[in-house]
Amino acid sequence: LCHGAPLDEGYMQVTPPVVHTLIPICKIGHDDTGNKLLSLLENCGRASRNVDTKYAKSGRKNDQTARTALAVLPIFKDGRRGCFFDAASNATFEAKEVVGMLQEVTGEGSSTPPTQPLGAFVFGYPHLLPNLQGEALAHVFSRARASMDEGGIIVMDLNGVPDVAPNWIGGGLRTVPDLKVDRVIGPALGHVDILHMNEDELVLLTGCSLTGSKSDDEFAISNAASLFLLCGVAVVAVTRGQRGCFIACNDEERFAKTKALPSSWVDSTTFIKAVDLPEGTTINTNGAGDSFTAGLLVAAMLRHTGQVVNISEKEIIVEEVESAEAGPEVDEVTDAHRQLTPYNLFMKEHYVSLRAECKDDKKAIFTKC
């Protein structure tokens, strides 16, 4: 959703962020972990020009006793990871607080609403938020939907699903009625446009069985994912590590309820292979699911909107090349540089290799593109 650390100043000027503004809504305490988190968010905001920490800071002021959650993730040589987690104030984070922050973001009751309409609401890890589950979670999603332009897109990213024996009648594959009354996510599923989980979480939530057989496992994953579609989710994405991912989309009737979703995805299903990494690549899976979910969301938003600009692509390209040479201050970058074109999407992916190939000659880079 944002660049993260800039590769260099020229890269940041030529490749604008894909998403105009990101607004973290979370509980941050007055502690070292909270200071570090805010510092990371603010540094990211300075680099990519699209992270707004104002509301996170405001929430921090409102609760002087809040503590920041902390996770320690050891990474093993084979790519597996462990997790030691302290929920801190996430253990008491409530729906009314999230809704209050949303109201502040949208300017509800204020004479100065936000300059940019809200397009998506991404919610992570309900199993780790005891007061944001079930009907409380459904209420948050309902309020989020009402606050977004044309209802926006609601995304739920799962993590922390408990590894416990199935508690539904008969065990085996879970039924749709039972999944709808799941105490954590059941009541909220009908509000969710994009749902992400990994295959281990799919097994825990549905009781499906994976044997290691490619054909049998693909059938089992497809069958289990369909349960969430029948509960009202529009798009279900299951990541499978080195085996890639599976994505299933609901029917036209469900997509009609979320105008921001691309209609070309209706009734689609696909298994996508993972990209092979070069030999010797250091494997670090931290944030892999988050990155996947963000990418899928952006793909949905771009495919729905298509970006059309009022001036020609050539004019934007020339402006960007000239600006990169002149080196403007961050505050001088105009909205024209934020427009998405095939050129700057290509540059976003290939700028580093093009710099090396063209010996840092920006006009040569432009010609090559």
Side-chain angles (χ1 to χ4, degrees), residues 179-206:
L179 189 55
K180 284 184 176 180
V181 295
D182 181 276
R183 68 174 187 82
V184 177
I185 61 173
L189 289 174
H191 298 273
V192 177
D193 299 312
I194 298 177
L195 173 66
H196 167 253
M197 70 195 83
N198 63 36
E199 65 177 16
D200 294 332
E201 290 157 347
L202 180 71
V203 169
L204 292 172
L205 285 169
T206 66

